[in-house]
């Protein structure tokens, strides 16, 4: 009883203090001492963090090879668009990639597209998440415009994104032997489990007059079409990398990897670039110096400011 | 223009006049939705949001789900609509209670109990003691044999004294039973809101009386909402019913006041709107150009070769929608919320409770607290505002002899006491005038003690003083007054009362001495209304001296006079007076003219001096507020000398060497003009010196100056920090406020009486003192306080805090919307200027109405400086007055800050999450969390004092952001499925957060 009443009274006083605008408050005052301490502290924290991040980034070994121009035969280079659109010409092409530093498995294979706007409004909206999950049971495909149906039959998967699926393929050979590329588990587990239907099979896909990108095997359910799943995780930036597979063997220094690729995807009409990337990874992810540089920059400027403040404080001490 | 009310005629009036159903409601059930929506959409901001919301329904152009605008819009509308509905419902309930109250009404000659709403014009209504009057009635009968009754009019004008009401002479002596059957016609003006006038006539039909016209005045009426007191019963004819009563007509919706801050916020909103249009046009053109040069080559976008006719508009409209969040939808709701909290803080403040009366301060207008912090001019009334309005009789001068000069209290002056004991005829006459020349009602309690109910404090003081000098006004029955003096009882019959008006400045009674039948005119009034009318040959020099001497001491003076009338003179005049009293047009003016005929050739008896003490803390309050840079003007109806004395004693002006008083006077245009120019010249010269210069002007000169030399007077008003305007009328007070307002000054008017109401309503801020002159001023005012000294706290604490808080809140609201908008704009440059939204609908909506609104709302508790500091250094208020915290340049600062923060977040995000990490959902969530961290940081940085609530709101909000997004990330159907979990596992996410957080410090 007593504690109850006390609690009640405490609540009452708290409300009273609130009404009188006199709740207990702390007033932090930014004295020069505090400011200097804070900046010093920031400098001390950020410089090591930045250095560690930079180091992690430098440990990542990355080989980038741009192949979109070199894979077009010399005579066709004047008119690359008609070359890529001509189905009768074989599109295979070989590239050599020299490993300049020891690469530890797993080695991730990415394809990189530059100047490719997956974030364009028309493009990014043109998909139907419900259809991807439920298949033809879901009828409203109006989001998928302009690729929603063909011959009055719905397309599964519908929409521009699926329609423009990337379809270059890569094979890797080292010292005459084929390198095993693991192409399983390249998409997010959550996507495979909950976003793409296990019983949804491609239907009426790439059957129209206008063929976009790759085709899909109608025997395999969408949840196992990992290339499609990866592709449909649209990128927010106009230059992006998407996972193609993993090499699960180490690559030694001076190894030469021969890549046999099928150069099917048309980036020539809009001046896009295609690159193949082999990369190891660290706790930070791929090679990215930016964060490290930013941290070091923040740390250094904090320290500089701290020093400037100290000097000012000493000079103008009252 | 007239209405004819047929008494007891049930049929004729039904169609002509409304019944007595009172309705204060704004809406009905049917028209609520359309009317309320119409009102809400008459605001520009709401129209804008509606347009945006409608555009969003077009799926081709909407970047996000329309719910992101419709949701908040509907929420905001629902909040204000339900507030209105709740208020209206309460009004309905109180109306219903009043309407269904049972009253006794005569129907077909029989008294019946019916509901108040069924009363019709012409019905006879019966009231018992302590009943509330249901509609405006003309009295026709009371329980009192003399036809008197007492009413309390507190609900009408706030005056708590009892007022006597009397039945018209024509109804005198009608038998109780016959009142049911009375027939007649009342000719009265159409309903108006003047509660002091009722110029009508009554004619009873035979057999009651011969067809004689009987004049009616306000004295013959009892008005709606009054209470019947000290009278067993009364009955009257309903003349105005329902919403057409005097009370109903005066009930009006005052024009909403707009604060300087609101105006500034509107202006800034306009500027942002223009900026938005420019951005939209630039991006729209860029988008169309990019589409034609680049996007058509991008086969994967499949732009059709031939678009619809509106194709050119699509991209600009998309950007319009994308940028629409630049104008924050939440700002209106947030501002309304915090403003009502500011008002609540004023209501709650225990330091502004008047402990003498127990009246707390109250903010009637909840929307203008910020203006309190920006006040530049205070116009104050004197009596009751600066002074206590508690009149005490101090000195007097009777036929040339000064009493009370030594002790300062005439009641203790032995000279006077001796004169009273010796029944000196001059003194007796003087005391008689003091005791009976008034409208005071003596009320005898059961113990035999007599208390007085007086309308004016001066009369109260005089009657009480007379009683202490053994001239006791003991009883009043009908027209017979009873006075006890030194043991003997003297009776007088009151023949006429010539009431006080501010034009005549005096009041008189005509009484007949019951002993010897002599008829005497007794008058009291201002010196200039009495002394010039003394009979030829009387020496008034000593009286003039007395008046001057008393005024020097800051006392209020009244001159008392009398004149014996001849019987025939009185009779002749009485006819004229009766005629004037029953005119319908210009009655007041005609009565004044007739009174003039009687009030002359006075024998001046003497001068009384009444002290009105200064309220506690007035000099300190004025000094503090003057230090805060606020200019004071005193507008009073009192005499010049009294006003100057009061001004000196309350630090209003400084005494001679330091201060200088400049007088503007003159009776003619030329004189006023010359004097005005002289004062202006002096003022210009001294404006550079640190001298306290004030000007004094009286009502007459002011009238001329305002009419003919407005420009010069305006210049003077700007130059002068202090002014005393004496002898001014209520409308002149309002004109002066208007003048200062037209010079773009923020004015505050403070007063306590009915004569200050116009000035209070005119000023930017009206403050009423709920004092002894009733509640009229306090009702009309935006703020009511118990004592003048609370003004200091009201302005320096509440006004200043409100200003600071709103300045932060409004600019922050724009800042946070701009940050997210700039990020969207930057993103459009890397998404082919196609109008893609980086953020999803849920995030956008939650960002605006939740994540960023909640933490900033607790800024209403922020205090940059403690109350004590502000009170000690009132100069700080200058920052608020000059609008240093909210103006285009501070706003530009916030604008720049938002641009900088948007750049930091955007650049760091797109570089840290490049290449294989550039997945759309992830990247958008990184950018959003960056913004949320920045918001928390900015709010924390701008907060000066952290209470527990602030910590809760700022850090709790940050936690809530993660919790909410984790919940969304756990729903498989949502677009954000697993995103937040993935991000929180990545070290690089946290490093990105800390880098963008820290970078924005610089």
């Amino acid at each position: 009883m007593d504690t109850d009443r006390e609690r009640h009274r405490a609540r009452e006083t708290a409300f009273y203090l609130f009404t009188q605008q006199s709740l207990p408050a702390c007033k932090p005052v930014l004295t020069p001492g505090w400011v200097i301490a804070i900046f010093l502290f920031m400098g001390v924290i950020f410089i090591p963090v930045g250095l560690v991040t930079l180091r992690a980034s430098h440990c990542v070994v990355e080989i980038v090879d741009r192949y979109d121009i070199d894979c077009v035969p010399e005579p066709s280079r004047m008119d690359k668009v008609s070359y890529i659109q001509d189905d009768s010409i074989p599109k295979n092409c070989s590239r050599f990639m020299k490993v300049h530093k020891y690469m530890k498995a797993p080695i991730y294979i990415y394809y990189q597209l530059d100047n490719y706007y997956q974030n364009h409004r028309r493009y990014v909206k043109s998909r139907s998440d419900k259809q991807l999950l439920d298949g033809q049971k879901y009828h409203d495909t109006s989001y998928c415009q302009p690729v929603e149906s063909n011959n009055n039959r719905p397309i599964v998967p519908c929409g521009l994104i699926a329609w423009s699926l990337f379809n270059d393929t890569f094979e890797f050979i080292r010292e005459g032997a084929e390198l095993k590329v693991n192409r399983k588990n390249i998409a997010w587990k959550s996507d495979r489990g909950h976003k793409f239907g296990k019983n949804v099979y491609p239907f009426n896909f790439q059957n129209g007059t206008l063929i976009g990108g790759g085709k899909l095997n109608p025997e395999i359910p969408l949840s196992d079409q990992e290339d499609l799943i990866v592709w449909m995780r649209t990128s927010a930036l106009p230059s992006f990398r998407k996972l193609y597979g993993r090499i699960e063997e180490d690559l030694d220094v001076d190894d030469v990897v021969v890549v046999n690729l099928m150069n099917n995807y048309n980036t020539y009409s809009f001046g896009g670039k295609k690159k193949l990337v082999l990369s190891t990874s660290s706790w930070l992810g791929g090679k990215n110096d930016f964060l490290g540089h930013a941290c070091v920059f923040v740390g250094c400027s904090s320290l500089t400011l701290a020093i400037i403040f100290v000097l000012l404080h000493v000079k103008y001490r009252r | 223009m007239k209405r004819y009310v047929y008494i007891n005629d049930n049929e004729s009036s039904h169609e002509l006049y409304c019944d007595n159903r009172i309705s204060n409601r704004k809406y009905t059930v049917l028209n609520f939705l359309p009317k309320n929506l119409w009102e809400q959409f008459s605001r520009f901001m709401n129209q804008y949001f509606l347009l945006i919301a409608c555009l969003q329904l077009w799926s081709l152009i909407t970047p996000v789900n329309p719910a992101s605008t419709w949701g908040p819009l509907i929420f905001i509308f629902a909040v204000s609509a339900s507030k209105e509905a709740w208020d209206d419902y309460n009004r309905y309930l109180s109306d219903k209670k009043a309407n269904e109250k049972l009253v006794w009404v005569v129907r077909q000659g029989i008294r019946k109990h019916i509901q108040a709403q069924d009363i019709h014009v012409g019905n006879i209504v019966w009231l018992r003691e302590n009943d509330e009057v249901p509609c405006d009635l003309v009295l026709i009968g009371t329980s009192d044999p003399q036809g008197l009754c007492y009413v309390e009019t507190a609900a009408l004008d706030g005056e708590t004294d009892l007022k006597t009401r009397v039945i018209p002479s024509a109804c005198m002596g009608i038998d109780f039973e016959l009142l049911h059957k009375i027939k007649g016609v009342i000719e009265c003006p159409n309903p108006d809101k003047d509660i002091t006038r009722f110029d009508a006539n009554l004619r009873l039909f035979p057999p009651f009386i011969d067809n004689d016209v009987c004049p009616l005045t306000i004295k013959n009426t009892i008005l709606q909402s009054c209470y019947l007191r000290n009278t067993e019963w009364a009955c009257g004819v309903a003349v105005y019913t329902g919403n057409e009563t005097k009370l109903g007509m005066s009930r009006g919706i005052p024009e909403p006041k707009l604060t300087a801050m609101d105006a500034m916020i509107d202006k800034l909103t306009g500027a942002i709107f223009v900026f938005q249009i420019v951005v939209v046009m630039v991006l729209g053109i860029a988008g169309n150009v990019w589409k034609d040069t680049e996007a058509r080559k991008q086969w994967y976008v499949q732009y059709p070769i031939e678009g619809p006719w509106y194709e050119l508009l699509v991209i600009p409209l998309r950007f319009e929608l994308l940028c629409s969040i630049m104008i924050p939808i939440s700002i209106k709701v947030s501002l309304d919320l915090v403003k009502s909290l500011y008002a609540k803080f004023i209501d709650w403040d225990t330091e502004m409770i008047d402990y003498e009366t127990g009246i707390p301060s109250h903010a009637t207008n909840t929307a203008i607290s910020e203006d309190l912090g920006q006040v530049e001019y205070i116009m104050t009334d004197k009596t009751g505002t600066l002074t206590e309005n508690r009149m005490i009789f101090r000195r007097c001068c009777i036929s040339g002899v000064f009493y009370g000069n030594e002790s300062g209290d005439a009641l203790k002056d032995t000279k006077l006491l001796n004169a009273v004991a010796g029944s000196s005829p001059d003194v007796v006459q003087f005391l008689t005038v003091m005791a009976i020349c008034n409208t005071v009602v003596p009320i005898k309690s059961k113990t035999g003690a007599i208390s007085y109910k007086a309308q004016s404090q001066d009369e109260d003081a005089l009657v009480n003083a007379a009683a202490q000098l053994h001239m006791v006004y003991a009883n009043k029955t009908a027209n017979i007054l009873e006075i006890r003096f030194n043991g003997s009882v003297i009776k007088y019959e009151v023949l006429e009362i010539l009431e006080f008006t501010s034009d005549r400045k005096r009041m008189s009674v005509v009484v007949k001495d019951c002993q010897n039948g002599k008829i005497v005119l007794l008058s009291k009034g201002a010196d200039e209304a009495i002394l010039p009318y003394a009979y030829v040959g009387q020496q008034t020099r000593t009286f003039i001296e007395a008046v001057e001497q008393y005024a020097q001491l800051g006392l209020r003076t009244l001159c008392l006079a009398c004149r014996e009338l001849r019987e025939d003179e009185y009779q002749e005049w009485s006819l004229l007076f009766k005629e004037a009293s029953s005119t319908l047009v210009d009655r007041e003016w005609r009565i004044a003219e007739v009174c003039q005929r009687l009030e002359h050739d006075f024998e001046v008896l003497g001068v009384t001096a009444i002290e009105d003490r200064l309220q506690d803390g007035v000099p300190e309050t004025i000094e503090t507020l003057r230090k805060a840079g606020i200019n004071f003007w005193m507008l009073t109806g009192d005499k010049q000398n009294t006003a100057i004395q009061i001004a000196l004693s309350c630090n209003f002006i400084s005494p001679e060497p330091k201060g200088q008083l400049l007088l503007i006077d003159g009776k003619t245009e030329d004189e006023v003009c010359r004097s005005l120019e002289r004062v202006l010249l002096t003022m210009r010269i001294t404006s550079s010196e640190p001298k306290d210069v004030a000007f004094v002007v009286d009502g007459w000169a002011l009238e001329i100056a305002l009419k003919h030399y407005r420009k010069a007077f305006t210049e003077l008003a700007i130059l002068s920090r202090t002014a005393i305007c004496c002898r001014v009328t209520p409308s002149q007070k309002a004109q002066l406020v208007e003048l200062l307002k037209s010079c773009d000054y923020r004015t505050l008017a403070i007063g306590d009486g009915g004569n200050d109401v116009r000035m209070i309503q005119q000023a930017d801020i009206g403050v009423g003192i709920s004092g002894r002159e009733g509640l009229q001023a306090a009702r009309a005012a935006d703020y009511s306080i118990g004592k003048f000294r609370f003004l200091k706290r009201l302005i320096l604490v509440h006004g200043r805090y409100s200003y600071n808080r709103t300045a932060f809140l409004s600019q922050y609201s724009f800042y946070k919307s701009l940050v997210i908008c700039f990020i969207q704009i930057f993103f459009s440059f890397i998404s082919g200027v196609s109008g893609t939204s980086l953020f999803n609908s849920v995030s956008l909506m939650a960002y605006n109405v939740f994540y960023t609104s909640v933490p900033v709302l607790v800024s209403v508790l922020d205090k940059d400086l403690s109350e004590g500091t502000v009170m000690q250094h009132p100069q700080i208020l200058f920052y608020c007055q000059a609008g240093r915290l909210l103006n285009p340049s501070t706003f530009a600062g916030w604008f720049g800050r938002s641009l900088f923060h948007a750049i930091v977040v955007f650049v760091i995000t797109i570089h840290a999450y490049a290449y294989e990490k550039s997945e759309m959902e992830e990247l958008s969530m990184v950018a959003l969390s960056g913004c949320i961290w920045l918001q928390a940081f900015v709010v924390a940085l701008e907060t000066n004092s952290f209470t527990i609530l602030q910590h809760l709101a700022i850090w709790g909000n940050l936690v809530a952001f993660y919790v909410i997004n984790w919940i969304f990330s756990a729903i498989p159907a949502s677009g954000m499925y697993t995103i937040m979990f993935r991000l929180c596992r990545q070290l690089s996410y946290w490093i990105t957060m800390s880098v963008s957080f820290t970078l924005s410090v610089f």
Side-chain angles (χ1 to χ4, degrees), chain B residues 895-937:
Chain B
F895 187 89
R897 194 179 200 176
S898 66
L899 188 61
F900 173 62
H901 284 180
I903 291 173
V904 166
V905 169
F906 184 73
V907 168
I908 290 180
T909 304
I910 63 165
H911 283 101
Y913 276 73
Y915 298 128
E916 75 276 3
K917 285 184 190 161
S918 66
E919 201 275 319
M920 189 93 172
E921 297 281 350
E922 270 189 24
L923 194 116
S924 104
M925 199 42 74
V926 172
L928 185 70
S929 4
C931 290
I932 299 287
W933 277 92
L934 278 191
Q935 301 312 314
F937 167 72

Side-chain angles (χ1 to χ4, degrees), chain A residues 20-22 27, chain B residues 261 338 342 345 349 369-374 793-809 859-871 876-877 880 885 944-945:
Chain A
Q20 299 307 310
Q21 308 186 58
S22 49
K27 287 193 169 194
Chain B
M261 246 184 162
V338 295
Y342 300 153
F345 280 139
D349 198 334
S369 298
E370 300 92 345
D371 253 7
L372 280 174
Q374 294 195 284
R793 194 171 162 79
L794 191 67
I795 290 176
L796 287 179
V797 174
H798 290 286
R800 189 174 166 279
Y801 282 150
S802 303
Y803 175 80
N804 288 358
R805 290 162 183 175
T806 301
F808 168 63
L809 186 103
S859 71
V860 294
L861 289 172
D862 191 34
K863 289 175 161 185
D864 54 341
L865 296 166
S866 73
E867 289 169 15
T869 319
V870 181
M871 291 288 208
I876 299 166
L877 191 72
C880 301
L885 296 178
N944 296 293
S945 64

Side-chain angles (χ1 to χ4, degrees), chain A residues 15-16 18-28 30 39 42 46 49 53 110 112 115-125 146-147 160 163-164 188 190 194-195 210 212-213 233-241 265-266 269-270 283-286 288 290-291 294-295 297-298 301-302 305, chain B residues 59-63 290 297-304 318 345 348-350 798 805 827 830-832 834-836 861 863-866 908 910-923 944-947 949 951 972-975 977-979 982 987-988 991-992 994-995 998-999 1002:
Chain A
F15 182 70
Y16 175 77
F18 168 72
T19 60
Q20 299 307 310
Q21 308 186 58
S22 49
L23 281 172
C26 65
K27 287 193 169 194
L30 283 179
F39 276 117
M42 273 171 17
F46 273 101
V49 169
T53 316
Y110 299 101
Q112 175 175 343
N115 197 23
Y116 191 101
Y117 288 88
Q118 263 204 318
N119 55 12
H120 193 281
R121 208 193 112 94
R122 255 177 94 80
Y123 186 83
V124 81
K125 293 228 154 197
V147 189
L160 280 173
W163 175 75
S164 60
W188 294 3
S190 59
H194 296 100
K195 293 273 175 192
L210 212 65
R233 275 274 155 203
T234 49
S235 164
L237 305 177
S239 107
F240 55 89
R241 289 173 185 177
Y265 205 69
N266 175 12
S269 56
F270 54 88
W283 56 267
L284 188 67
N288 188 344
F290 177 79
L291 264 185
C295 277
F297 171 73
V298 168
S301 16
S302 298
L305 276 176
Chain B
S59 65
L60 181 67
I61 58 169
T62 178
W290 199 87
K297 290 191 235 156
Q298 289 164 347
W299 54 269
Y300 55 90
V301 178
Q302 280 199 9
Y303 251 116
R318 273 181 197 160
F345 280 139
W348 280 330
D349 198 334
T350 48
H798 290 286
R805 290 162 183 175
F827 180 69
I830 60 163
S831 64
S834 59
T836 318
L861 289 172
K863 289 175 161 185
D864 54 341
L865 296 166
S866 73
I908 290 180
I910 63 165
H911 283 101
Y913 276 73
Y915 298 128
E916 75 276 3
K917 285 184 190 161
S918 66
E919 201 275 319
M920 189 93 172
E921 297 281 350
E922 270 189 24
L923 194 116
N944 296 293
S945 64
F946 290 89
T947 67
L949 286 175
H951 284 301
S974 89
Y977 184 49
T978 70
I979 299 289
R982 297 170 69 89
L987 251 178
S988 51
I991 296 177
T992 312
S994 53
V995 168
T998 325
L999 251 183
F1002 300 140

Side-chain angles (χ1 to χ4, degrees), chain B residues 633-634 636 643-644 647 652-653 661 695-698 722-726:
Chain B
W633 282 34
M634 183 199 276
T636 173
I644 292 174
F652 207 84
I653 46 178
L661 267 184
F695 74 86
V696 183
V697 64
D698 66 3
T722 315
I724 298 170
C725 307
C726 34

